[in-house]
Amino acid sequence: MAQYARNAAAVAVIRLRNPPVNALSLTVLQALEDGLKRADADPSVKAVMICGENGKFSAGADIQGFSSPKRQGIALGPLVSLIERSEKPVVAAIEGIALGGGLEVALGCHFRVAHVQARMGLPEVTIGLLPGAEGTQRLPRLIGVPAALDLITTGRHIPATEALKLGLVDEVVEENTVEAGIRLANKLIASVSLENVSSKENRELCKHARILTGCPAGQPLGPRRLSLKPIPRLPNMEAFLSEALVKVKKQARGCLAPELCFQAVKAATEQPFADGVQRERELFNILLTSGQAQALQYAFFAERAVQRWTTLSGASWKSASPQPIRRAAVIGLGTMGRGIVTSLVKANIPVVALEQDVEYLNTGRKAVMLLLEREAMKMGQDAQSLDFHNPARLQFTVDFDGLRDVDLVIEAVFENMALKKEIFKKLSGICKPGAFLCTNTSALNIDEIASATSHPQQVIGTHFFSPAHVMRLLEIIYGRHTSPAAIATAMQLAKAMKKVGVVVGNCFGFVGNRMMFPYVQQAVFLLEEGSRPENVDQVIEDFGFKIGPFRMSDLAGLDVGWRSRKGQGLTGASLPPGTPARQRHGRRYSPLPDLLCEQGRFGQKTGKGWYQYEKAGGRTARPDPWLHSFLSEYRDTHQIKTRFIDQEEILERCLFSLINEGFNILAEGIASGPEHLDVIYINGYGWPKHKGGPMFYASTVGLPRILAKLQKYSEAHPDVPELRPSAFLKKLVAAGNPPLKEWMSCSGSQSSKL
Ligand SMILES: CCCCCCCCCCCCC/C=C/C(=O)SCCNC(=O)CCNC(=O)[C@H](O)C(C)(C)COP(=O)(O)OP(=O)(O)OC[C@H]1O[C@@H](n2cnc3c(N)ncnc32)[C@H](O)[C@@H]1OP(=O)(O)O
């Protein structure tokens, strides 16, 4: 709702109220409209001020409402116009946030005062929409086309100080914003009422008020009505717009909203306000009914849903309390360790960084300092807070004794169980009993690592993604003995590092990599059968992934998987003699990646992998004729008939096998809902956000279709268990293909009963 109150000095105050963020629901909009009409009808009201309850102006339209049959958006544009047309001055007092429709309401107001800590933005593009309450037409008139285009197509939030520089707000205050708004409203009242009074003193006062408000005599509000303002012209508008479109398209990578945002702003430069609004509505409607908006809005809520974690044994976010982390340590300053140290420093957590010897320590120290300097450059003025040259904030050591008083340790040495256990045994003896012991692993068994310590309840997996100071995902893995406090603390740590933590159970590869195995496996099988790496990558990148499986493998290094397969006895010296080349444990196996590694083709680092590169460490992947003939010879050797594989089969075999594993994971209770899998894939594996994550995508394709396709591929490849449809998928299809929200109630896993 919105609360209406009268101020003694003839200012009506309308306070938007819809906790926690004053989202604009139908009820709020109705109350706002009622308040405006009431103020208009009351002759004793001379000005209106709009603010938000609890220190927040508004986070914009209620996103839930976009998927409900009664779409509230429709009502917002006319309401903003109603505010703007008011004959009584309307002031927006912006505290906390004014986002999306919230900012559009403020743009309808004649004056905007913001608290210095407020943030503003039009983030609709991030949920697949555009500012559909006339914002694409008003904002360019107020701050110019380049700045408006930037805000609208990126959705970035800006601080009040930047908003002031852009002219988005009239005043920034450090004191109580509502009082500042009322004060301004009173001055505006004085400006209007003094207009017709002829004493010299009043004329002076009036002049002062006009300077303050920028309103010429006789037209107190005209210039403040943004719909009446012309668009500030650029000398080279056409050239500017064509360049901007190229940039927007490049960044959008198949996402529709940024380009339609651009079109709406372009309409503002070409058409009168009313026609621009009409165009905005048409474009908004296209987006609203596009599957992309639904996917992006699902992703928004999924990211929030995973904060409410639960475990199979019944622990949950509701009852577990995070412990404060006053000081942390990182063991190992390889690529991952360096990124983790950087993330901790950025989160203002003092860090002790440990390496095995002075030589490694010095190399690691240099690399960390370089990363931090780059981060500081990006942060500009705020970089002072990093203070990373201060030993109290960041310390380097080779001495485990330096870890005695830390609250949390993140071990980030390479993936070797024996080494990790040795380190955890040491930590168990050195660290204080309450210290949390985290292991950065992408697949290893948390329980086995914990067994090396005397406090297994303190041990938890924290799977960071590379580069760790950039990637948002943190997979948090609880073992059999991990305490709820350890989980809550890891989640809190993720938040402090501005990452999204997702709690999952302990199994080989956890969630992300476990689902990745069948996907990569299918990609390699497709090469055996007739595809080339560039064909497979193209299909996956056209789908929207940032990078296909072979380019990804070259980037990560083929030797990583090779080492792991050798460790598992799948290849190398420990492979029993007589093992068939393309079979392991009765299942189909492709030795192709092993053969490439045996040739020293580790990917980008060696200049050759699935592709060729300009040099070792090069980044431009080019199809490699050597690899093409190698594949032909391989097929001849193994008597595989080369066939043409179409895009549909490539996409389905790669993605449906990944999704199939997702259903197995859900059935086992390794993750407590499909949202977890989707958040992991969007934030850690480059799944296109506008396709909502693999499980959401499965729901849009339709589970019966996925099942039928898996059945077909499984029949064609009976020696590939990963293509055999998951029992849970079959169950859901038998249950009538329920919506994603209802899947877990059919799972029968314990987590669904919590
Ligand atoms: C048939 C159709 C015809 C169409 C005709 C054309 C007419 C056109 C008119 C259309 C007009 C519409 C135009 C306007 C569109 C919009 O405004 S879209 C919304 C834009 N706003 C946003 O995207 C902001 C989203 N929110 C955030 O970024 C953050 O939540 C925050 C506000 C910055 C706060 O962050 P933080 O403090 O970290 O808290 P959170 O955990 O994120 O959020 C707290 C809870 O609040 C919920 N929430 C947040 N924002 C919204 C929202 N806008 N709507 C609904 N709910 C919201 C969030 O989910 C959290 O909930 P819980 O998890 O339950 O706690």
Side-chain angles (χ1 to χ4, degrees):
M1 60 166 299
Q3 189 191 41
Y4 182 93
R6 274 296 307 282
N7 177 276
V11 181
V13 175
I14 302 176
R15 201 179 280 272
L16 307 170
R17 183 191 275 179
N18 186 11
V21 291
N22 300 326
L24 303 172
S25 61
L26 271 181
T27 320
V28 173
L29 293 186
Q30 189 57 58
L32 175 57
E33 185 177 343
D34 292 348
L36 286 166
K37 289 187 172 158
R38 191 166 155 190
D40 186 46
D42 184 344
S44 65
V45 169
K46 303 292 181 207
V48 181
M49 196 201 62
I50 303 177
C51 59
E53 179 85 350
N54 268 337
K56 290 177 184 127
F57 190 78
S58 168
D62 181 350
I63 300 171
Q64 301 275 15
F66 290 121
S67 47
S68 92
K70 279 178 162 186
R71 287 175 176 154
Q72 88 284 20
I74 300 157
L76 189 53
L79 189 54
V80 176
S81 283
L82 184 73
I83 297 171
E84 193 191 77
R85 280 199 308 275
S86 167
E87 288 303 331
K88 301 177 182 178
V90 186
V91 176
I94 301 171
E95 293 174 302
I97 40 163
L99 298 173
L103 185 59
E104 289 176 296
V105 165
L107 288 172
C109 297
H110 306 117
F111 298 89
R112 286 161 292 279
V113 185
H115 188 263
V116 67
Q117 275 168 0
R119 284 183 299 138
M120 279 150 265
L122 292 173
E124 287 87 338
V125 66
T126 63
I127 51 164
L129 297 174
L130 54 76
E134 307 178 358
T136 63
Q137 306 303 300
R138 280 198 179 82
L139 191 65
R141 286 175 161 79
L142 180 63
I143 64 171
V145 177
L149 206 51
D150 169 42
L151 290 192
I152 292 171
T153 58
T154 64
R156 72 185 178 94
H157 301 183
I158 56 168
T161 44
E162 188 178 343
L164 184 66
K165 274 191 205 141
L166 290 174
L168 178 54
V169 296
D170 301 290
E171 200 182 339
V172 169
V173 296
E174 290 192 25
E175 79 260 36
N176 186 313
T177 315
V178 171
E179 280 170 17
I182 292 177
R183 210 168 40 245
L184 176 61
N186 279 321
K187 283 180 187 157
L188 293 166
I189 294 169
S191 153
V192 177
S193 63
L194 292 173
E195 288 275 333
N196 303 320
V197 183
S198 60
S199 83
K200 188 167 176 247
E201 187 191 353
N202 279 356
R203 275 202 306 275
E204 274 311 302
L205 260 174
C206 182
K207 200 169 136 202
H208 176 75
R210 279 202 302 268
I211 292 167
L212 189 92
T213 61
C215 296
Q219 278 185 316
L221 296 176
R224 309 297 308 190
R225 295 194 170 108
L226 300 181
S227 68
L228 305 180
K229 272 173 99 78
I231 289 273
R233 304 306 308 175
L234 291 174
N236 52 354
M237 184 71 90
E238 230 170 86
F240 168 79
L241 286 174
S242 14
E243 257 176 52
L245 179 59
V246 173
K247 196 170 144 204
V248 164
K249 274 190 173 169
K250 196 170 164 209
Q251 281 166 358
R253 306 185 55 84
C255 185
L256 205 58
E259 193 178 335
L260 268 58
C261 281
F262 169 88
Q263 297 300 349
V265 175
K266 184 165 179 266
T269 68
E270 295 169 341
Q271 297 173 15
F273 186 82
D275 296 347
V277 165
Q278 189 50 41
R279 180 76 183 128
E280 180 193 270
R281 283 190 186 170
E282 287 161 15
L283 294 168
F284 182 85
N285 208 14
I286 295 173
L287 289 175
L288 187 63
T289 50
S290 77
Q292 292 196 357
Q294 276 140 29
L296 286 161
Q297 287 159 30
Y298 161 81
F300 174 86
F301 288 113
E303 204 171 286
R304 278 138 190 98
V306 300
Q307 305 307 314
R308 298 184 277 273
W309 58 269
T310 54
T311 70
L312 272 176
S313 62
S316 86
W317 63 285
K318 281 187 210 151
S319 49
S321 305
Q323 300 302 305
I325 303 301
R326 296 181 198 89
R327 203 149 177 257
V330 176
I331 302 180
L333 292 176
T335 314
M336 293 309 289
R338 295 167 192 178
I340 297 169
V341 171
T342 306
S343 296
L344 288 166
V345 172
K346 283 180 72 185
N348 280 326
I349 298 173
V351 192
V352 183
L354 185 138
E355 251 301 353
Q356 56 178 316
D357 63 33
V358 175
E359 197 185 329
Y360 277 101
L361 188 75
N362 287 339
T363 314
R365 183 204 316 254
K366 261 194 212 148
V368 167
M369 288 304 186
L370 200 67
L371 281 183
L372 282 166
E373 267 148 29
R374 281 197 204 133
E375 290 301 304
M377 293 244 286
K378 282 190 226 155
M379 287 167 73
Q381 283 183 337
D382 298 340
Q384 277 177 346
S385 64
L386 289 183
D387 195 16
F388 55 88
H389 292 289
N390 177 352
R393 299 292 300 275
L394 175 58
Q395 203 181 315
F396 292 87
T397 183
V398 288
D399 185 358
F400 266 81
D401 252 9
L403 273 50
R404 279 193 189 283
D405 67 340
V406 298
D407 302 304
L408 177 139
V409 181
I410 302 173
E411 162 277 307
V413 302
F414 59 80
E415 291 284 74
N416 178 302
M417 181 56 91
L419 177 63
K420 289 197 185 247
K421 282 173 84 170
E422 189 190 318
I423 290 173
F424 272 72
K425 191 167 175 216
K426 220 167 182 175
L427 290 174
S428 182
I430 286 172
C431 294
K432 57 189 182 190
F436 297 105
L437 307 179
C438 312
T439 172
N440 175 57
T441 169
S442 57
L444 297 180
N445 187 334
I446 305 300
D447 291 330
E448 193 177 338
I449 297 173
S451 71
T453 78
S454 49
H455 316 292
Q457 73 281 6
Q458 300 297 102
V459 177
I460 189 160
T462 45
H463 178 199
F464 286 82
F465 288 72
S466 185
H469 60 296
V470 175
M471 295 292 285
R472 282 191 77 218
L473 179 64
L474 182 64
E475 228 180 357
I476 294 172
I477 309 105
Y478 62 92
R480 198 176 318 139
H481 302 289
T482 306
S483 69
I487 303 175
T489 306
M491 282 297 275
Q492 177 92 331
L493 182 70
K495 203 168 178 181
M497 293 190 290
K498 297 200 167 61
K499 294 192 187 297
V500 47
V502 185
V503 174
V504 301
N506 185 23
C507 63
F508 187 70
F510 316 128
V511 166
N513 283 346
R514 178 169 159 185
M515 288 168 77
M516 182 74 6
F517 295 138
Y519 161 87
V520 172
Q521 185 193 54
Q522 284 305 311
V524 176
F525 289 166
L526 287 162
L527 295 196
E528 288 191 326
E529 293 165 36
S531 291
R532 288 177 169 180
E534 51 274 27
N535 305 137
V536 177
D537 280 348
Q538 193 61 52
V539 170
I540 297 295
E541 287 162 20
D542 286 348
F543 177 79
F545 269 87
K546 289 197 181 101
I547 188 166
F550 294 108
R551 259 187 260 276
M552 169 57 84
S553 165
D554 273 0
L555 176 71
L558 274 73
D559 51 323
V560 180
W562 194 34
R563 211 169 24 240
S564 160
R565 289 190 297 278
K566 280 199 242 174
Q568 293 170 63
L570 294 169
T571 188
S574 57
L575 190 66
T579 307
R582 298 181 54 233
Q583 215 182 61
R584 299 290 182 274
H585 312 297
R587 302 159 165 216
R588 180 170 167 185
Y589 176 85
S590 173
L592 272 174
D594 304 332
L595 295 173
L596 255 58
C597 288
E598 283 164 21
Q599 304 259 356
R601 295 179 73 108
F602 292 166
Q604 286 189 4
K605 63 176 97 166
T606 56
K608 283 182 185 132
W610 297 108
Y611 292 90
Q612 56 178 325
Y613 298 84
E614 62 278 21
K615 57 176 191 280
R619 290 175 168 217
T620 315
R622 277 181 296 124
D624 189 347
W626 178 90
L627 190 99
H628 299 158
S629 11
F630 171 76
L631 287 175
S632 299
E633 281 166 31
Y634 174 89
R635 289 181 201 123
D636 290 346
T637 309
H638 295 286
Q639 290 156 3
I640 305 167
K641 199 163 171 284
T642 304
R643 66 184 179 94
F644 169 76
I645 304 175
D646 65 18
Q647 297 182 356
E648 183 176 292
E649 180 173 346
I650 293 176
L651 194 70
E652 289 176 348
R653 279 178 57 186
C654 291
L655 298 191
F656 291 4
S657 58
L658 178 153
I659 288 166
N660 196 38
E661 196 58 38
F663 283 111
N664 288 331
I665 285 171
L666 291 178
E668 290 168 26
I670 293 291
S672 47
E675 295 87 353
H676 291 59
L677 279 48
D678 288 334
V679 171
I680 286 174
Y681 261 79
I682 289 171
N683 292 287
Y685 292 84
W687 184 282
K689 199 171 185 179
H690 59 272
K691 293 219 163 94
M695 306 320 278
F696 180 86
Y697 174 70
S699 75
T700 62
V701 171
L703 303 192
R705 183 178 157 85
I706 307 241
L707 175 60
K709 289 294 181 134
L710 281 169
Q711 270 160 345
K712 179 183 124 180
Y713 293 127
S714 174
E715 276 161 26
H717 305 277
D719 52 352
V720 183
E722 290 78 4
L723 288 172
R724 259 174 243 152
S726 139
F728 184 36
L729 169 62
K730 286 187 191 162
K731 194 172 173 185
L732 287 170
V733 173
N737 188 23
L740 180 139
K741 270 189 181 162
E742 290 167 27
W743 288 1
M744 294 319 286
S745 52
C746 300
S747 80
S749 92
Q750 269 175 293
S751 63
S752 64
K753 297 190 191 91
L754 295 173

